[in-house]
Amino acid sequence: MGTCYREELVGVFGCPIDENPTVVVAQAAFEDLGIPYRYLTVLVYPEDLGTAMSALKALNMKGIHLTIPHKVEVLKYLDHVACDAQIMGAVNTVYVKDGELYGENTDGKGFITSLKEEGITIEGKTAMLLGAGGASRAIAVELANAGAKKLLIANRPASGRGEVLTDLIREKTKAEAEYICWDHTLAIPQEVDILVNTTNIGLYPDTDQKPDVDYNTVSPRMTVCDVIPNHPHTLFLKEAEKRGAKSIDGLGMLVNQAIISFRFWTGRTCRAEVMRKALSREYGIE
Ligand code: NDP
């Protein structure tokens, strides 16, 4: 039998895309499993998204990740969209099956898995989200689907995104939702069990920044999470740790959302520790 030089193609479409690190995680995971998969980091301009999505079929690709600015726009090119991704109105993972394109959103699921890995229960809990952008939408819908009782959504007033997300949770899920106008130093209500920073405050290179919160209102019974992947041990988490809270960083979400996407593409479960190690090495935080 001859050697097979063909590789299964997956990857990410985005604009900008140069600094997206998912290829590091992906190739480490695929090599660990010993499967011939190649993750491509592809610059796709907004006006070319339709052509790029048709290329998935033409090139017999297994699937693709979507990142800024394609997560919403891609919906119109898909044959099927999962229910939760429909509610979020955003897709970050597409897989190809029998020549058709299936859309999923694994960001929020990755977040939920990272909580469960730390033994955190979501059912009946009150969660507060700082921010109401794409990551927040995905996390809010999945927290509600996982049985959270109430979501408090804090966002700056100008964009109107906080109110929109609050209405979405009220209308499309069973959880209660309340909008908090974030135009002052935010006190964390004592009913909060899980506090999540979903903003990009603290993302490299602005690692000296932290959300405008009264950290003395963070209590030891709270679980405090950040989505920032780089560098993951943010000032926000450090302040919460000082008040005795349990902290969960954004690497867990990043790795777990990728594991779920890779399962759609390969049918295999990649090892989280291999992926986490590859990312930490890449960021120089071993
Ligand atoms: P968006 O641009 O969609 O949303 C950003 C949110 O942060 C908005 O609600 C915005 O408020 C708020 N915000 C930004 N700056 C401030 C500020 N100075 N004060 C208060 N609020 C602020 O971004 P995404 O949701 O796509 O991404 C957010 C973060 O999540 C990024 O750092 C990204 O790296 C991370 N992420 C991590 C993932 C992981 O796997 N770990 C997966 C996906 C994202 P406003 O509406 O007022 O503008």
Side-chain angles (χ1 to χ4, degrees):
M1 209 165 68
T3 304
C4 176
Y5 295 104
R6 187 179 65 81
E7 292 175 310
E8 301 294 0
L9 300 180
V10 293
V12 57
F13 292 163
C15 178
I17 195 66
D18 293 8
E19 283 158 20
N20 187 301
T22 314
V23 60
V24 173
V25 177
Q27 289 309 142
F30 299 154
E31 270 162 42
D32 181 57
L33 286 177
I35 53 177
Y37 274 65
R38 176 74 53 187
Y39 191 95
L40 307 171
T41 303
V42 187
L43 174 64
V44 174
Y45 294 110
E47 62 272 24
D48 296 325
L49 183 62
T51 316
M53 292 310 293
S54 322
L56 292 189
K57 296 181 192 174
L59 299 177
N60 281 302
M61 291 179 72
K62 290 286 184 188
I64 202 80
H65 270 143
L66 286 311
T67 188
I68 292 171
H70 303 314
K71 286 186 186 184
V72 175
E73 208 50 28
V74 73
L75 267 88
K76 63 160 127 16
Y77 301 112
L78 303 178
D79 302 301
H80 310 271
V81 179
C83 281
D84 50 358
Q86 269 177 33
I87 295 174
M88 291 166 207
V91 157
N92 78 331
T93 302
V94 169
Y95 64 93
V96 188
K97 198 174 125 196
D98 301 328
E100 302 210 309
L101 301 182
Y102 289 74
E104 294 275 346
N105 196 313
T106 65
D107 280 337
K109 293 186 182 70
F111 175 79
I112 299 289
T113 307
S114 72
L115 287 194
K116 289 187 175 160
E117 278 176 349
E118 296 289 334
I120 308 298
T121 338
I122 296 159
E123 260 183 332
K125 297 286 177 68
T126 295
M128 181 168 184
L129 307 185
L130 309 178
S136 184
R137 267 178 112 82
I139 289 172
V141 170
E142 296 295 352
L143 279 171
N145 287 347
K149 180 169 144 265
K150 186 172 177 187
L151 301 184
L152 306 175
I153 293 155
N155 205 51
R156 297 181 294 193
S159 71
R161 289 159 114 184
E163 293 94 325
V164 171
L165 178 53
T166 306
D167 288 345
L168 180 95
I169 295 299
R170 280 194 194 128
E171 284 161 21
K172 300 280 173 81
T173 78
K174 290 185 182 137
E176 297 164 37
E178 190 182 308
Y179 167 64
I180 295 175
C181 177
W182 191 8
D183 58 359
H184 56 285
T185 303
L186 203 61
I188 309 303
Q190 288 312 295
E191 64 178 310
V192 170
D193 303 296
I194 301 166
L195 172 66
V196 194
N197 174 35
T198 74
T199 73
N200 38 359
I201 305 168
L203 186 67
Y204 182 85
D206 302 319
T207 50
D208 58 344
Q209 307 282 311
K210 57 180 190 293
D212 187 13
V213 163
D214 177 357
Y215 289 92
N216 288 325
T217 58
V218 172
S219 77
R221 49 165 291 283
M222 294 178 187
T223 299
V224 178
C225 316
D226 210 326
V227 299
I228 301 286
N230 184 16
H231 289 271
H233 198 210
T234 55
L235 268 188
F236 176 69
L237 293 182
K238 286 179 187 163
E239 290 291 345
E241 286 162 8
K242 274 192 220 157
R243 273 73 180 187
K246 179 177 178 56
S247 71
I248 298 181
D249 71 32
L251 282 192
M253 174 178 173
L254 188 102
V255 164
N256 284 306
Q257 65 80 16
I259 289 178
I260 301 166
S261 301
F262 298 168
R263 206 180 287 136
F264 284 121
W265 298 339
T266 68
R268 306 276 299 271
T269 301
C270 304
R271 289 201 297 157
E273 65 271 25
V274 169
M275 297 159 73
R276 209 175 229 276
K277 236 190 209 160
L279 205 56
S280 299
R281 203 178 311 122
E282 189 68 13
Y283 289 155
I285 48 172
E286 270 176 291

